Amino acid sequence: MKKLMIAVLAAIVLCPAEVSAQGFLRKLGEKAAEAGKRKLEQKVEEKVEREVGNKADEILDGKSTSTSRQNNGDDAEVAQDDTPDAVAQKSDFVRGSVILFEDDFAGEQMGEFPSKWDISDGSLEVASVNGKKYAHSNTTGTTVFSPLMQNMKSYLPDVFTLEWEEFMCKPGDIDQMNWLIYFYNGDDELANIYKMFRPGNPDVYGNYRFRKGGGASDGVTGDLNWNDLQKCVKFGQWNHFAISFNKRAFKYYVNGHRIINLPNVAAPSRFEFHVSDGYPYRGVGHVILAKGAADLYQRQTTDLSAVEKAIAETGKFVTNNILFETGKATLKPESMDEIQKVADFMKKNPSVRFEVQGHTDNQGSDAVNDPLSQQRAESVVKALEGLGVDGFNLRAVGKGSHEPVADNKTDAGRAKNRRVVFVKK
């Protein structure tokens, strides 16, 4: 304010004939308004930076379990994770390379039956919660639904991944929900995974039953580890579920955390979703079925060598396994495994510099995709910095949809075009 007064008085001294007392007051008011506006903008920017930093901390909480951080000026101690190392390091999901079926329901009309699905019991319609559309069971009984495929009895390859999202109410908001996924070979049931969500202790629990592979007559049964589920399920939010099957090995994940790991089960040919009971958000969002999966018993060192090999052979590492919320730059939790691989490589090679490129498909206009791809690249850079990578060695660049590597006319092509590329500089 002192500088402002000096500037105004200087103007009076230099131009006494043109400046009256009334004019002086008017100019003083204008200068004060401008100064106030700049101060307000500065405070808004500071608050936005704090909020973005806090959101990044939330994303990375699972990677930092013994440190403390500031949160809006308050001390927030991150609890020490007492999970055994064998459990804590079991996020190894890798999406298959060829998309066979994908539906995020974004193009569907609210209240109508979702066009890519079929039902054998109950009723289904497109609904929305927290800004995301999904297939909703709108009956009080059980709804059984499955994707529309050319051969409805046999469409699962011998190596596949299946992903979907579910919205979890906060404990106390619901009475209960029974939720199952069934696997079949034709009409013959091979496996099912059952989950229940309810207020109380535990809030999440369930069990599973599988038929063994190789023609064995017995099966495999077990309970879902409710303690693991309690740690990884996010109430009041969308949650990511995934399955990886490789000829005989079956793995089941919740938000990137592996819950089931079976070495020898019978190979399925199709699946069904079953939902029932009084759950207000009964259904699934953004389903992805893909051919291919991680190698049997793939080790973390193998994952790291894949990054090293790609950089050595081509000078860049291309991945479709860094995922974002639809239309946003918010990283999904399951993306952190892939980002961790890049972070490990960069910390092992501290002189390497990367241009982090964000690429989109051509759905939407350049006016939306160009800044979105830039923001997504910046989110990846921020996540890498949170894992200990020197930000000096990272540069975020948004490429939009201008450099496709596949045909944008197909779901599989668009999935390949939605990628993050690390180019060595």
Side-chain angles (χ1 to χ4, degrees):
M1 183 60 74
K2 184 182 293 183
K3 291 182 179 179
L4 174 60
M5 291 296 294
I6 292 172
V8 175
L9 289 172
I12 295 174
V13 172
L14 293 174
C15 307
E18 298 179 8
V19 180
S20 63
Q22 183 178 359
F24 165 70
L25 292 175
R26 186 183 70 253
K27 289 183 178 292
L28 181 61
E30 291 172 353
K31 292 291 184 180
E34 291 175 4
K37 181 180 178 183
R38 287 196 300 272
K39 188 68 175 178
L40 178 60
E41 291 173 346
Q42 181 181 355
K43 286 185 174 294
V44 170
E45 289 176 359
E46 290 173 354
K47 182 172 178 60
V48 169
E49 288 177 359
R50 284 200 305 272
E51 292 298 326
V52 170
N54 291 336
K55 288 298 182 183
D57 284 344
E58 291 174 11
I59 292 172
L60 299 173
D61 271 348
K63 300 295 182 181
S64 176
T65 57
S66 60
T67 60
S68 62
R69 67 181 187 275
Q70 295 290 325
N71 185 4
N72 288 334
D74 299 325
D75 290 332
E77 185 73 19
V78 180
Q80 180 70 36
D81 188 354
D82 58 358
T83 307
D85 288 343
V87 176
Q89 297 177 7
K90 62 186 183 182
S91 296
D92 58 352
F93 178 78
V94 178
R95 177 184 294 169
S97 57
V98 179
I99 305 296
L100 302 178
F101 175 91
E102 181 174 8
D103 192 5
D104 63 1
F105 306 97
E108 299 286 352
Q109 184 174 336
M110 293 286 291
E112 294 296 329
F113 189 91
S115 60
K116 293 184 179 181
W117 295 82
D118 193 16
I119 59 171
S120 56
D121 198 4
S123 180
L124 203 65
E125 67 181 17
V126 178
S128 175
V129 61
N130 276 22
K132 183 189 293 290
K133 289 183 179 179
Y134 71 105
H136 171 68
S137 170
N138 59 352
T139 180
T140 56
T142 299
T143 296
V144 180
F145 54 106
S146 55
L148 272 175
M149 306 295 284
Q150 188 171 4
N151 183 348
M152 293 293 289
K153 294 289 186 181
S154 180
Y155 51 82
L156 293 177
D158 60 354
V159 180
F160 69 87
T161 60
L162 175 63
E163 302 167 73
W164 69 95
E165 296 180 343
E166 300 175 35
F167 186 84
M168 305 299 175
C169 284
K170 295 178 181 178
D173 290 350
I174 58 173
D175 292 328
Q176 65 176 12
M177 171 204 177
N178 293 336
W179 212 104
L180 300 96
I181 182 168
Y182 280 85
F183 288 91
Y184 299 86
N185 186 356
D187 291 323
D188 190 16
E189 181 188 332
L190 299 180
N192 71 66
I193 304 171
Y194 162 87
K195 304 189 301 296
M196 177 174 278
F197 305 89
R198 68 173 188 182
N201 187 17
D203 297 317
V204 188
Y205 66 98
N207 54 52
Y208 56 85
R209 182 177 72 249
F210 288 82
R211 185 179 299 180
K212 277 193 173 182
S217 58
D218 58 344
V220 181
T221 62
D223 293 325
L224 298 179
N225 188 321
W226 72 265
N227 190 44
D228 281 356
L229 286 171
Q230 292 286 87
K231 290 181 178 180
C232 61
V233 167
K234 301 178 295 183
F235 290 103
Q237 302 179 48
W238 283 97
N239 289 248
H240 180 267
F241 291 76
I243 286 169
S244 176
F245 183 80
N246 194 330
K247 298 180 180 178
R248 56 184 175 80
F250 185 99
K251 299 178 182 181
Y252 175 76
Y253 307 80
V254 180
N255 290 325
H257 191 83
R258 196 174 70 224
I259 303 297
I260 299 175
N261 185 16
L262 301 176
N264 183 27
V265 300
S269 62
R270 67 183 181 92
F271 72 91
E272 291 178 346
F273 289 128
H274 291 220
V275 294
S276 62
D277 293 331
Y279 188 59
Y281 303 113
R282 296 177 298 148
V284 298
H286 203 172
V287 181
I288 303 174
L289 172 64
K291 182 177 181 180
D295 293 338
L296 286 173
Y297 313 118
Q298 186 176 34
R299 297 182 183 274
Q300 193 169 17
T301 53
T302 303
D303 293 336
L304 180 59
S305 66
V307 179
E308 293 175 333
K309 183 178 179 181
I311 297 300
E313 292 180 354
T314 67
K316 61 183 177 181
F317 175 61
V318 183
T319 176
N320 299 99
N321 293 321
I322 296 178
L323 309 175
F324 302 87
E325 296 290 343
T326 302
K328 300 179 181 179
T330 305
L331 283 163
K332 291 188 174 182
E334 58 268 27
S335 303
M336 294 310 300
D337 295 319
E338 195 82 342
I339 294 174
Q340 182 69 59
K341 297 172 192 174
V342 178
D344 290 342
F345 171 81
M346 295 192 73
K347 286 188 282 188
K348 184 179 178 181
N349 302 273
S351 63
V352 170
R353 302 190 69 186
F354 274 148
E355 180 177 276
V356 182
Q357 299 178 351
H359 295 261
T360 69
D361 58 30
N362 70 343
Q363 300 291 93
S365 66
D366 290 343
V368 172
N369 287 332
D370 288 353
L372 177 61
S373 64
Q374 177 68 33
Q375 293 161 9
R376 286 181 169 180
E378 291 171 356
S379 293
V380 175
V381 167
K382 195 169 188 67
L384 285 168
E385 289 176 335
L387 293 173
V389 175
D390 187 351
F392 176 78
N393 292 328
L394 298 166
R395 176 172 173 260
V397 176
K399 294 289 187 176
S401 62
H402 304 293
E403 298 181 6
V405 294
D407 188 353
N408 272 306
K409 295 180 180 179
T410 66
D411 289 341
R414 288 191 293 271
K416 290 181 179 179
N417 289 332
R418 296 190 297 269
R419 66 197 190 278
V420 177
V421 182
F422 299 86
V423 181
K424 183 179 177 182
K425 292 296 182 178

